[in-house]
Every structure is written in structure tokens, then in C-alpha cells.
Amino acid sequence: MNKTFTDKNAPFKFVLENEPFKNKSYIAIYTFVCVNPLCECTDITFFIKEIDETDNVIEPDRIDYNYTIDIFKRKVSKHWIDRINPESMVFANHFISELTNDSWEFFANCFFDHKRKLLSDSKIIDSLLADFSENEYSIEKENFMIGFAGVFPNVESMIFKYDDIDYLIDDQYCLASSCNCTNTGLNIIALLEKNEKKHDRMVAVYDYKKDTWDINYNFKIIQHTDKEIIKQVEFFFPDIRKIFKQRHRILRHLYANYRKRKEESDPIPASEQKVGRNEPCPCGSGKKYKHCCG
């Protein structure tokens, strides 16, 4: 495929090299990425028009081909496969077969750029209905920390390289309503080959307000020391304090909204319910009332 990929926000032109679309020029006049940051899909929808040698659209009032591609599985999205007409399906398969690794990387960057912008929009964040019901008790009673990627599955991974080894940063946060800490729990994981040992991570707590590190443990199977890893993290992510502060703020906001919705939907607040001592505790712990909040 001959293509012109430049601006992530602009239409892009391309020419397919195989029949029956050989040497025809096309333009993706519009691409669409899901606007819900909580969604697990990794799809981009393409709207394609054929253009002539002067780059003018041949049929201005018609979309020639319309299809959705899962950019990480590199195939037509399973969520839309039944909605694509036969002509668009044939075109989509040719389009996919001619994409290079550079092209896939370009689309992945477009996808992550779009998701990143969504997370910076306060109106979108305020409209999200995140569900913390499975973890609420642990958050409030057991200091359970919530991973940012666990809530936003398609957030761009924080990865850095050190001595040809890729490290993944898994950042987690306390959301307990009684806590105002500024800590980020970090699993810094070495992405080793499958046949290498698995004890390959450093666990730390980073206080983004004080800019301090507390190393819980480092298995040290890899030769890098705590200080070396921290230095690399700060080198690759110079805005790390800003990043973790923003992520913590977003998760706290979503959790507070979840608790507010729950309280508004409960006809009788748990604190006012009359509960027998041997009945399940209304806080959701699964314990008897007399052994929990009674």
C-alpha cells in the first residue's frame, strides 16, 4: 500500500496495490474511535471515498466503503462484522492485508492519542459511570488499591527501556473515602521472555506530592538496582508527578460519583437499616452483622 499518513487528525490518502482495487486512489475522510474511555474495544472505524488523480472525490454524496478494524488484533472488529456490507468487507480485508507495521503503529498512536484527550476532558470524565461494586468493601476496609489500567483498559501503557529490557509501570491508587493520601502504588515489571524467571519486578510507593520513593521490595533477579530503576523512570517520564496526580484525581472523582449514585439509589441508608445480629452485614462484607459493623 502506498499511503500518506501525516497528521493524526487529518484525512489520509492511500493506494491499494492488489486487484480489484489496484492503482486506485482513496481517502479516509473520517475515522472514528469510541468516545467512552471505560470501553474495552480497540476499534477504529473508517469511512473511505475514492478520489481521482487530482485528489477530488469521485462521488461526493456517497461513502464508498465503511468498516471497523480492531487495530491490535489486526482484523475486522467482531463488534461490527455483522453490520458491514459485503463490498466494504472485501475492501477492508484488502486494506488490512496491505498495511505495514508502521501503518499499524500509526493507527495505534491515533487511538491512544484520542483516548488521552478524552481523559483530559472534565465533562467526559464527569459523565462516566464506573462500577466499583466488586471492590468497594476492599477499598474502604482493606486499603485495596485500584489500578488505573483496570478502570481504563485502553490507557496507553507506561513502558520504558533499560539495557534492552522493557519495563512496564502498573500504577495503583487508594480511593478510600476517609483517605487523602497522595501515594501511588507501583509494580515496575520487567517484560522478559516466556522462558525466563518470573520474579522480575520492583514494588514501590511513590508520593507524588513529596516526590519521594519507598521501595517495598525488589526481587533483584535482574541486575538493575532500585536507584537505577527510579532514575530511568524519572528520565523517561519527567512529568511523572503530574501524571500520577491527574490519574489519582480522575479515579477519586469516578469513585466519589459511584458512591453518590449508590446512596441516591438506596431507599434506606445502610446505617438506618434494622439488621439482626446474625444476619449478613449491610456493608457488603459477607460477614454476620455482629462480627462486622454491629
Side-chain angles (χ1 to χ4, degrees), residues 113-136:
D113 187 60
H114 178 80
K115 293 293 185 179
R116 191 184 306 113
K117 289 178 180 177
L118 292 176
L119 291 179
S120 65
D121 189 323
S122 59
K123 291 183 179 179
I124 290 178
I125 295 299
D126 199 48
S127 69
L128 298 178
L129 303 178
D131 183 7
F132 295 91
S133 57
E134 291 186 4
N135 297 312
E136 183 179 7

Side-chain angles (χ1 to χ4, degrees), residues 67-78:
Y67 51 88
T68 301
I69 292 176
D70 186 320
I71 59 169
F72 294 108
K73 294 182 178 179
R74 299 190 175 188
K75 61 182 182 180
V76 174
S77 171
K78 66 178 181 179

Side-chain angles (χ1 to χ4, degrees), residues 230-259:
I230 291 172
K231 185 176 180 180
Q232 289 300 111
V233 171
E234 293 176 339
F235 173 78
F236 277 89
F237 303 100
D239 295 330
I240 192 170
R241 298 178 71 176
K242 180 179 178 181
I243 293 171
F244 290 153
K245 181 180 180 180
Q246 181 192 35
R247 290 185 169 194
H248 201 175
R249 178 183 57 79
I250 289 172
L251 289 182
R252 274 185 168 152
H253 185 71
L254 293 184
Y255 183 65
N257 282 352
Y258 158 78
R259 298 263 293 179

Side-chain angles (χ1 to χ4, degrees), residues 58 62 107 125 133 140 142 173 215 247 271 275 287:
I58 294 176
R62 185 184 73 187
F107 291 135
I125 295 299
S133 57
E140 296 294 332
E142 299 174 347
Y173 303 87
I215 309 301
R247 290 185 169 194
S271 60
V275 183
K287 300 177 182 179

Side-chain angles (χ1 to χ4, degrees), residues 83-134:
R83 307 184 192 184
I84 301 176
N85 63 51
E87 293 79 13
S88 290
M89 179 64 77
V90 172
F91 188 92
N93 287 326
H94 278 270
F95 180 84
I96 291 171
S97 69
E98 296 189 26
L99 287 176
T100 64
N101 286 333
D102 287 345
S103 299
W104 287 113
E105 183 176 347
F106 173 84
F107 291 135
N109 288 335
C110 291
F111 178 86
F112 286 129
D113 187 60
H114 178 80
K115 293 293 185 179
R116 191 184 306 113
K117 289 178 180 177
L118 292 176
L119 291 179
S120 65
D121 189 323
S122 59
K123 291 183 179 179
I124 290 178
I125 295 299
D126 199 48
S127 69
L128 298 178
L129 303 178
D131 183 7
F132 295 91
S133 57
E134 291 186 4

Side-chain angles (χ1 to χ4, degrees), residues 165-181:
I165 297 174
D166 287 329
Y167 286 89
L168 170 69
I169 300 176
D170 173 29
D171 52 319
Q172 304 177 6
Y173 303 87
C174 170
L175 305 182
S177 54
S178 60
C179 182
N180 293 315
C181 75

Side-chain angles (χ1 to χ4, degrees), residues 1-3 13-17 23-26 98:
M1 176 190 294
N2 295 318
K3 76 281 186 187
K13 297 180 290 183
F14 61 96
V15 178
L16 295 182
E17 298 176 349
N23 296 329
K24 293 182 180 180
S25 298
Y26 300 92
E98 296 189 26

